[in-house]
């Protein structure tokens, strides 16, 4: 499947605000992270969390092509 | 209760008025502002950006949790995004409650949870021209 | 830092502005207000009276202690005396600090000490016409 | 000595805002309290603290005729 992933802050600066990933069916959050970490090789980026449909997700959360998936670098609101 | 991510200057006085109630014995206001110095560097401004939809939902969740946990409907929070100058407010949290201890506890709960969970980022502008994401 | 016992309506916005500083990352405001119900009785107003000279000194001591203990000069407190209507503010405490935790700690210290030490009394007016000193 | 004592709140309602007491030389705070409690006999008044020269004082604090002495019923500011 092709998955559109939203990026923010330092990750968006490095890779753009949206990245298209080709992932096998049955991919999970950890696979999204692996694929993106590979693309960011050599760039110094903070370890992010992943949100699926606007909620924080665990590494083993399954992903489908229609999910809204986002990379969440360390937050700094307030 | 109400929460919002907004892109215009915040008005603490308006939020304080919004939570006012003759059922309340105490109102509190928390205002986060842009500091001149952070970790020893001279700051000239901050860009705040958000994952808007998720930030609004997460902020609404936090306010809902505080309403349930501390027992008041009178909690209003606004977080600003965009470019802020020194001294400008990035967040305003207004709470009123029959009892002062719970008003202060709710205030603290909301700001601590916002810092942990709401997908908002800030990039500081420094006097030397550099710009860096904070918390990276 | 500044503190005062005053006999006119309080202006929380003015006190918030008074503590503002670009050295501060957080400002807090605490506003004590007249509640409609106290211990099950319908309240229509409150007379606040003070032993003025001692109240001013005790309040100044508390603010000085908070300045020393929490590490900010930016603490301003005003307490009102006279007859207050429902919803009116009896006390406003404004604090700003480089760090949010200390701003909130200072706020709480000041209100708790005021409740314990400052010689101010209140007589509640009830819907049935009775008037009683509180804490008696 | 004759001592002027300031009263507040419920104590002022019951005995007036100032009371003159005749006390022996060497009187202490506890003597002021005893004399006033006697005057208030039969009235239901809360146990107060005493301030001398605008500071809270202990029962054994000595009093002179020039001191500013005040009866402080339970405070309720804030």
């Amino acid at each position: 499947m092709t998955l559109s992933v939203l990026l923010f802050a330092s990750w968006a600066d490095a890779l753009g605000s949206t990245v298209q990933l080709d992932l096998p069916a049955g991919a999970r959050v950890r696979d999204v992270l692996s694929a993106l970490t590979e693309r960011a090789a050599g760039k110094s980026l903070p370890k992010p969390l992943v949100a699926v449909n606007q909620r924080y997700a665990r590494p083993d959360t399954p992903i489908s092509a229609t999910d809204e998936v986002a990379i969440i670098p360390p937050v700094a609101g307030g | 209760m109400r929460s919002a991510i907004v892109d215009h200057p915040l008005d603490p006085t308006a939020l304080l008025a919004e939570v006012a109630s003759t059922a309340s014995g105490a109102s509190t206001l928390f205002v986060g502002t842009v500091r001149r110095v952070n970790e020893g560097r001279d700051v000239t401004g901050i860009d705040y950006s958000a994952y808007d939809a998720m930030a609004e939902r997460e902020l609404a969740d936090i306010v809902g949790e505080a309403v349930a946990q501390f027992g008041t409907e009178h909690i209003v929070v606004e977080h600003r995004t965009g470019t802020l100058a020194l001294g400008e407010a990035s967040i305003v949290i207004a709470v009123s409650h029959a009892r002062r201890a719970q008003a202060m506890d709710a205030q603290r709960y909301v700001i601590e949870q916002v810092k942990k969970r709401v997908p908002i980022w800030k990039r500081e502008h420094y006097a030397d021209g550099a710009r860096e994401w904070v918390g990276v």
Side-chain angles (χ1 to χ4, degrees), chain A, chain B:
Chain A
M1 62 178 172
T2 300
L3 185 72
S4 236
V5 178
L6 304 174
L7 306 181
F8 296 94
S10 52
W11 279 79
D13 284 356
L15 301 179
S17 59
T18 312
V19 164
Q20 309 291 328
L21 296 180
D22 283 312
L23 294 171
R28 293 169 187 267
V29 160
R30 72 168 65 86
D31 303 314
V32 173
L33 271 177
S34 300
L36 278 169
T37 303
E38 196 168 307
R39 290 218 191 178
K43 308 189 185 203
S44 173
L45 291 172
K47 196 169 148 48
L49 297 175
V50 175
V52 177
N53 300 326
Q54 300 173 10
R55 295 193 175 270
Y56 290 107
R58 293 157 176 272
D60 63 356
T61 301
I63 303 282
S64 77
T66 56
D67 286 331
E68 182 175 311
V69 176
I71 295 298
I72 312 286
V75 301
Chain B
M1 70 174 146
R2 187 177 67 78
S3 60
I5 309 291
V6 303
D7 58 5
H8 53 73
L10 301 179
D11 183 350
T13 303
L15 268 64
L16 190 63
E18 189 173 341
V19 299
S21 162
T22 58
S24 295
S27 299
T28 62
L29 201 55
F30 179 95
V31 183
T33 51
V34 176
R35 273 204 295 160
R36 197 172 56 221
V37 176
N38 193 21
E39 295 178 3
R41 298 181 73 175
D42 284 348
V43 174
T44 58
I46 294 184
D47 299 323
Y48 278 93
S49 60
Y51 177 9
D52 282 305
M54 181 173 167
E56 297 213 343
R57 212 221 66 248
E58 200 72 33
L59 193 57
D61 282 1
I62 290 167
V63 171
E65 290 159 15
V67 163
Q69 185 171 338
F70 299 102
T72 176
E73 287 288 323
H74 303 296
I75 304 180
V76 175
V77 183
E78 289 187 355
H79 198 300
R80 182 176 170 192
T81 55
T83 300
L84 277 66
L86 289 193
E88 285 198 290
S90 52
I91 187 169
V92 177
I93 301 166
V95 177
S96 87
H97 197 292
R99 299 288 177 185
R100 71 183 183 280
Q102 286 88 328
M104 290 185 283
D105 288 346
Q107 172 189 54
R108 195 180 291 245
Y109 179 83
V110 171
I111 185 60
E112 296 305 327
Q113 292 298 314
V114 166
K115 293 267 177 187
K116 279 186 192 140
R117 293 160 51 182
V118 179
I120 294 179
W121 300 275
K122 62 180 178 186
R123 186 167 51 178
E124 291 181 335
H125 307 190
Y126 302 104
D128 62 7
R131 296 185 174 201
E132 285 181 22
W133 295 101
V134 174
V136 166

